[in-house]
Amino acid sequence: MSHASVAPVQDLTLQVKDLHKAYGGNEVLKGVEFQIAKGQVKAVLGPSGSGKSTMLRLMALLEPSDRGDILLHGERIGVNDGGRHLPERTLAVQRRDIGMVFQKFNLFPHLSAVRNVALALTAVQQVKRHTALERAHEMLERVGLSERADHFPSELSGGQQQRVAIARALVLDPDVMLFDEPTSALDPELVGEVLDVMEGLARGGMTMIVVTHEVRFARRVADEVTLFDNGVIVEQAPPEDFFDRPQHERTRRFLSHVH
Amino acid sequence: MGFDFDIFFEQLFSSSYLKGALLSIGVAVVSLVIATAIGFVVALGRVGKSQFGRVPAGAYVWFFRAIPALLVLLIMWNALPQILPSLRSDWYSPFVAASIGLGLVEAAFMAEIIRSALLSVDDGQPLAGRALGMKPATVMLKVTIPQAIRIALPPTTNEFIGLIKYSSLASVISLRELLTTAQVGVNITFRYAEYYSVAIIYYLVIVSVITVFQTMIERRFAWISVKPTKKRKAESVPAGGLA
């Protein structure tokens, strides 16, 4: 883990320390240390079941951790001073700084694209309906879907749905965006349009953690690539080191399968 | 004796049948509103994690699914006013007693419809709402309920039609709804065919109107931007849409 770029503490947007999580008797996270600084893009690779998606869900405060800390801007989130998990109502407020994009989009099927994006503004930030729709339109423009604004999710392709989902997460202006295998549920020819939007975000300075199987995207866009295996982080390095000079046998084996 | 069309048409447009039909519809509407309100609370109790919700909610469904609606109506009208003196006043009419009684029974069935509708909403939906920072009540109101309504609509329409017919049970507490109107007429005239035929016509008209409403409401829950109309053909879909 010595490869991790050392950022001064105050610049760390999101950080997890000694994170543990088990489902039933199955230990999915076994003490994970991970951090991301403002403006960084980190790609997280690893076989399925290695714990990478679980880390993301814990970071997004969607599930409680068993042990360990999650820090946003250096402050512990998800728990009170005594270390007990906060009630859902309080967690909801803390989640607003963290954007999440899901593998299966999870767009609201009963709302048009623009209302999917606007809902968080009206229902969470109490923005006036008219202003919310205006800002939602701007967001859809950023992901290249202005002319699809009034279409419902069932009328959009998978790639378009995922771009709406990205706009929906972006509209709350989060400090960090978490992507949970955002292109894994897409037809191969639709992957590119989603990765393009994400690359644009990265170039615009967004802090991003991307759990993905897209090795080329990780190499081109990420500042750092992380390999998860069996609940622990195996290797963490800038893409050129990670892909061309991996330090660990496990990384070499993983790369031989995906290259 | 033959079928006397004069009697048939005379009764078809008589005020007593119209009044009976309106009473039937009134009882059905009020009891469905009561049933939906109670049923929603009971359903929330049954899908929740807390035993404080699950146990009483389960008990409610168990009790009111077991007791015949007829018995509930008799209790509402005969037994309750004996116990509660405040019910021995003018406002406690057969209409009120029937609406509340049928509403209480129907709530047990609506609870099960609403419970299955809530459970059929994809887990990823509340998850997405939570990830956006919505509080539990907002997730329920803005994400889960709108999707559950669509699933609950067809069975709820069934229940509503059932309630129209169940309202005839209220004849035992002297409510002159549609079927009682027919029966009273028969008792006086012995013109069974004519009076029953009029009742059939009324029931058919009522259910037809409900079906039209159902179609209209379900269309609102189609969740598509281009509403399907008979004249519209595929080519009139905006360019590039619905590939």
Side-chain angles (χ1 to χ4, degrees):
Chain A
M1 256 123 286
S2 54
H3 301 280
S5 56
V6 180
V9 177
Q10 66 270 22
D11 270 344
L12 286 180
T13 302
L14 199 57
Q15 191 178 10
V16 300
K17 289 179 177 171
D18 192 33
L19 202 61
H20 287 260
K21 181 72 179 176
Y23 295 103
N26 183 24
E27 235 189 325
V28 182
L29 294 180
K30 305 170 183 170
V32 168
E33 307 276 340
F34 187 87
Q35 58 186 46
I36 186 162
K38 190 175 186 326
Q40 257 192 332
V41 176
K42 287 205 172 192
V44 179
L45 307 182
S48 49
S50 59
K52 53 197 193 315
S53 288
T54 303
M55 178 183 75
L56 231 53
R57 291 160 78 96
L58 263 53
M59 279 176 159
L61 303 180
L62 292 171
E63 286 178 45
S65 63
D66 293 343
R67 191 145 58 91
D69 291 331
I70 303 162
L71 294 93
L72 184 70
H73 304 302
E75 299 202 14
R76 278 210 296 177
I77 54 170
V79 291
N80 63 16
D81 294 337
R84 291 178 63 102
H85 290 291
L86 291 167
E88 177 69 17
R89 212 175 302 197
T90 319
L91 290 178
V93 179
Q94 295 190 343
R95 284 188 198 115
R96 290 168 195 177
D97 295 323
I98 301 167
M100 180 89 180
V101 174
F102 299 93
Q103 182 179 350
K104 296 200 173 127
F105 334 132
N106 299 7
L107 286 185
F108 304 128
H110 59 296
L111 299 175
S112 64
V114 69
R115 289 192 187 281
N116 258 279
V117 180
L119 182 62
L121 290 174
T122 53
V124 172
Q125 291 192 336
Q126 269 75 48
V127 175
K128 287 268 187 313
R129 190 186 152 103
H130 177 76
T131 320
L133 286 173
E134 230 166 56
R135 276 173 60 190
H137 273 291
E138 287 167 19
M139 277 302 147
L140 285 179
E141 210 172 314
R142 265 180 79 179
V143 299
L145 284 172
S146 307
E147 73 288 4
R148 282 282 183 277
D150 294 323
H151 285 64
F152 283 72
S154 64
E155 301 168 312
L156 300 172
S157 72
Q160 291 171 338
Q161 287 188 57
Q162 192 60 297
R163 283 148 68 195
V164 174
I166 293 172
R168 180 177 70 172
L170 275 179
V171 81
L172 290 176
D173 197 19
D175 296 338
V176 55
M177 288 276 285
L178 312 180
F179 295 84
D180 187 8
E181 301 197 26
T183 58
S184 295
L186 295 175
D187 291 339
E189 73 268 24
L190 302 176
V191 168
E193 60 185 81
V194 173
L195 293 182
D196 286 348
V197 166
M198 290 167 58
E199 187 167 350
L201 273 182
R203 302 267 175 256
M206 176 59 76
T207 313
M208 293 163 58
I209 303 173
V210 186
V211 168
T212 185
H213 296 294
E214 297 293 329
V215 170
R216 269 180 301 169
F217 176 82
R219 184 190 274 270
R220 196 175 64 237
V221 181
D223 301 307
E224 201 167 72
V225 184
T226 303
L227 182 73
F228 260 73
D229 188 40
N230 204 17
V232 293
I233 289 175
V234 175
E235 182 150 1
Q236 192 155 203
E240 51 274 20
D241 292 335
F242 184 91
F243 291 110
D244 302 331
R245 294 174 291 278
Q247 299 296 306
H248 296 267
E249 169 55 24
R250 182 69 190 93
T251 313
R252 279 191 284 274
R253 212 157 12 107
F254 178 78
L255 291 175
S256 73
H257 290 306
V258 294
H259 262 323
Chain B
M1 207 146 94
F3 191 92
D4 191 328
F5 278 96
D6 288 343
I7 297 175
F8 173 76
F9 283 112
E10 185 198 324
Q11 289 306 313
L12 189 60
F13 300 109
S14 69
S15 62
S16 59
Y17 264 101
L18 188 65
K19 213 180 136 209
L22 289 177
L23 272 177
S24 286
I25 295 169
V27 168
V29 168
V30 175
S31 52
L32 187 69
V33 169
I34 294 171
T36 307
I38 299 175
F40 182 71
V41 175
V42 173
L44 282 185
R46 274 172 67 82
V47 299
K49 292 189 191 90
S50 157
Q51 289 299 314
F52 293 104
R54 291 182 89 104
V55 171
Y60 187 96
V61 172
W62 166 76
F63 185 81
F64 279 104
R65 280 204 303 196
I67 309 300
L70 189 57
L71 179 55
V72 173
L73 290 182
L74 290 171
I75 291 169
M76 288 297 297
W77 187 241
N78 298 326
L80 274 191
Q82 283 186 345
I83 303 165
L84 303 170
S86 62
L87 294 183
R88 284 178 227 147
S89 46
D90 283 348
W91 67 267
Y92 197 66
S93 62
F95 180 86
V96 172
S99 300
I100 296 175
L102 288 179
L104 288 174
V105 174
E106 184 60 29
F109 295 89
M110 281 307 293
E112 289 297 272
I113 289 174
I114 294 168
R115 180 172 72 103
S116 66
L118 290 174
L119 289 177
S120 69
V121 174
D122 186 78
D123 288 343
Q125 291 296 312
L127 188 70
R130 291 168 62 216
L132 287 170
M134 292 182 197
K135 293 182 179 177
T138 312
V139 171
M140 180 56 75
L141 212 63
K142 300 286 182 182
V143 177
T144 307
I145 288 179
Q147 299 184 48
I149 287 177
R150 169 163 134 144
I151 297 156
L153 266 177
T156 301
T157 310
N158 268 350
E159 294 301 309
F160 184 53
I161 291 172
L163 280 170
I164 296 278
K165 299 177 198 175
Y166 265 127
S167 69
S168 64
L169 292 176
S171 65
V172 297
I173 60 172
S174 70
L175 182 74
R176 257 181 108 144
E177 42 60 58
L178 186 49
L179 189 55
T180 312
T181 306
Q183 196 55 47
V184 168
V186 165
N187 289 345
I188 300 165
T189 64
F190 297 103
R191 303 299 303 204
Y192 292 102
E194 292 81 357
Y195 277 81
Y196 289 158
S197 299
V198 172
I200 288 177
I201 299 289
Y202 267 95
Y203 281 118
L204 286 176
V205 169
I206 292 169
V207 172
S208 302
V209 171
I210 293 172
T211 310
V212 169
F213 271 115
Q214 179 183 13
T215 311
M216 279 165 53
I217 296 170
E218 281 182 10
R219 199 168 288 166
R220 278 200 54 194
F221 281 83
W223 301 341
I224 47 174
S225 55
V226 185
K227 301 292 176 199
T229 57
K230 276 173 193 162
K231 282 175 190 163
R232 214 167 210 151
K233 293 270 157 45
E235 59 261 28
S236 66
V237 171
L242 294 175

